[in-house]
């Protein structure tokens, strides 16, 4: 099978335009995506590798892996396209062939954040299994914060199970604040189960209960937690998981502990 030649640059350019040159007529239909302005032109400049990743075409993808980290002018990679479409098989192939889980520039779109936004929990699991940081710092906030903003509880569970810091959000705004504002009871229960601090204050000096919709489910949950302290078992679990550390949580099953205790520490 013929090899696809790789050029000196990994950034593809718009067809018919010189580097750094903008087209004369930019379509008016634009949208803001991850804080980056994208347009029809930036979508048109994607490579065949981006196209195959977006459509989940695994066999085609196998022949196009010379530039596995190729980016469009907006910093979108084939791995990002896989997370947007939920193509786990294509993701695995890209990662096995050297795809980077994170880009070197923080302002570039993040594959992990896109998977959390879309609710593709299997993509989140795959990225974390290949070394992605569950607390990856991005202008959008933490991956957990993004999953809470978009009410993707399954993604939140995966991140927290893998050791994501439950109180790290965006600036002073915690994931719990984000979940409460949306009155997402399922998200709130998961966050509290992993030790979310319901006394944290955001940039406006408000606790989660202060931003909860009046009379909503999340307000009732938080009020109940305030008058009912966490059990000793829960407090021990938080402390043990913190002492073990995120990178060693996967070794919990190897500890000489009763299976019931191991499952409790793993939240399974």
């Amino acid at each position: 099978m013929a090899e696809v030649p790789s050029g000196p640059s990994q950034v593809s350019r718009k067809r018919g335009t010189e580097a750094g040159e903008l087209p004369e007529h930019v379509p008016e239909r634009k949208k803001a995506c991850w804080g980056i302005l994208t347009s029809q032109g930036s979508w048109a400049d994607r490579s065949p590798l981006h196209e195959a990743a977006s459509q989940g075409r695994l066999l085609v993808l196998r022949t196009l892996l010379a530039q596995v980290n190729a980016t469009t002018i907006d910093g979108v990679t084939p791995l990002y396209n896989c997370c947007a479409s939920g193509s786990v098989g294509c993701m695995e192939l890209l990662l096995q062939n050297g795809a980077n889980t994170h880009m070197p520039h923080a302002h570039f779109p993040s594959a992990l954040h896109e998977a959390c936004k879309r609710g593709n929990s299997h993509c989140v699991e795959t990225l974390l299994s290949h070394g992605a940081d569950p607390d990856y710092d991005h202008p959008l906030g933490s991956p957990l914060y993004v999953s809470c903003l978009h009410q993707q509880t399954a993604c939140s569970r995966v991140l927290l199970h893998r050791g994501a810091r439950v109180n790290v959000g965006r600036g002073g705004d915690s994931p719990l604040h984000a979940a409460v504002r949306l009155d997402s009871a399922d998200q709130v229960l998961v966050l509290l189960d992993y030790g979310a601090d319901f006394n944290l204050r955001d940039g406006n000096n408000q606790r989660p209960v202060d931003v909860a919709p009046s009379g909503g489910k999340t307000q009732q949950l938080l009020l109940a937690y305030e008058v009912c302290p966490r059990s000793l078992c829960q407090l021990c679990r938080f402390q043990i998981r913190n002492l073990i550390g995120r990178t060693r949580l996967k070794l919990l099953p190897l500890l000489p502990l009763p299976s019931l205790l191991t499952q409790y520490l793993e939240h399974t």
Side-chain angles (χ1 to χ4, degrees), residues 21-90:
E21 188 178 67
L22 293 176
E24 295 181 2
H25 304 290
V26 179
E28 293 184 0
R29 185 178 61 182
K30 300 178 180 179
K31 61 180 180 178
C33 179
W34 302 115
I36 299 172
L37 189 64
T38 60
S39 66
Q40 186 70 17
S42 63
W43 182 246
D45 86 324
R46 61 182 182 169
S47 69
L49 194 64
H50 293 87
E51 186 76 26
S54 296
Q55 298 180 5
R57 298 164 63 189
L58 187 59
L59 294 179
V60 175
L61 195 64
R62 291 182 186 276
T63 67
L64 299 171
L65 292 174
Q67 291 183 331
V68 71
N69 290 307
T71 60
T72 67
I73 58 172
D74 293 315
V76 173
T77 64
L79 189 65
Y80 176 95
N81 291 138
C82 287
C83 289
S85 63
S87 305
V88 178
C90 289

Side-chain angles (χ1 to χ4, degrees), residues 121-134:
S121 58
H122 292 299
C123 291
V124 174
E125 183 70 55
T126 300
L127 287 169
L128 296 178
S129 297
H130 284 81
D133 183 358

Side-chain angles (χ1 to χ4, degrees), residues 17 40 58 62 122 124 171 174 182 203 223 234 237 251 263:
T17 61
Q40 186 70 17
L58 187 59
R62 291 182 186 276
H122 292 299
V124 174
S174 72
L182 296 168
L223 290 174
Q234 288 177 309
R237 177 165 62 183
L251 302 177
Q263 292 170 7

Side-chain angles (χ1 to χ4, degrees), residues 228-245:
C228 183
R230 289 185 167 107
S231 68
L232 181 59
C233 288
Q234 288 177 309
L235 295 174
C236 288
R237 177 165 62 183
F238 301 153
Q239 185 67 16
I240 292 171
R241 285 177 63 90
N242 287 334
L243 288 173
I244 290 175

Side-chain angles (χ1 to χ4, degrees), residues 241 244 248-255 257 262 265-266:
R241 285 177 63 90
I244 290 175
R248 293 182 292 181
L249 286 176
K250 60 185 177 182
L251 302 177
L252 276 172
L254 302 180
L255 294 177
L257 299 172
T262 300
L265 292 175
E266 290 184 311

Side-chain angles (χ1 to χ4, degrees), residues 164-178:
R165 290 183 289 176
V166 69
N167 293 315
V168 175
R170 182 173 62 188
D173 208 37
S174 72
L176 187 58
H177 282 93

Side-chain angles (χ1 to χ4, degrees), residues 64-211:
L64 299 171
L65 292 174
Q67 291 183 331
V68 71
N69 290 307
T71 60
T72 67
I73 58 172
D74 293 315
V76 173
T77 64
L79 189 65
Y80 176 95
N81 291 138
C82 287
C83 289
S85 63
S87 305
V88 178
C90 289
M91 281 188 64
E92 288 282 4
L93 183 60
L94 289 170
L95 290 165
Q96 289 168 10
N97 284 271
N100 296 326
T101 55
H102 299 305
M103 296 302 293
H105 305 292
H107 65 278
F108 277 2
S110 160
L112 182 56
H113 285 74
E114 177 69 5
C116 290
K117 174 188 174 183
R118 302 279 184 173
N120 293 326
S121 58
H122 292 299
C123 291
V124 174
E125 183 70 55
T126 300
L127 287 169
L128 296 178
S129 297
H130 284 81
D133 183 358
D135 295 319
Y136 180 53
D137 188 22
H138 194 272
L140 292 168
S142 69
L144 180 60
Y145 185 80
V146 169
S147 71
C148 289
L149 276 180
H150 295 276
Q151 303 186 65
Q152 304 294 358
T153 307
C155 292
S156 296
R157 287 185 184 278
V158 172
L159 290 165
L160 290 166
H161 180 73
R162 288 295 193 127
R165 290 183 289 176
V166 69
N167 293 315
V168 175
R170 182 173 62 188
D173 208 37
S174 72
L176 187 58
H177 282 93
V180 166
R181 286 193 191 93
L182 296 168
D183 204 28
S184 181
D186 289 343
Q187 284 276 13
V188 169
L189 283 171
V190 170
L191 293 170
L192 290 173
D193 192 40
Y194 276 86
D197 186 350
F198 48 79
N199 287 315
L200 281 179
R201 296 182 180 271
D202 62 11
N204 296 318
N205 200 35
Q206 291 183 309
R207 298 181 304 152
V209 70
D210 299 326
V211 301

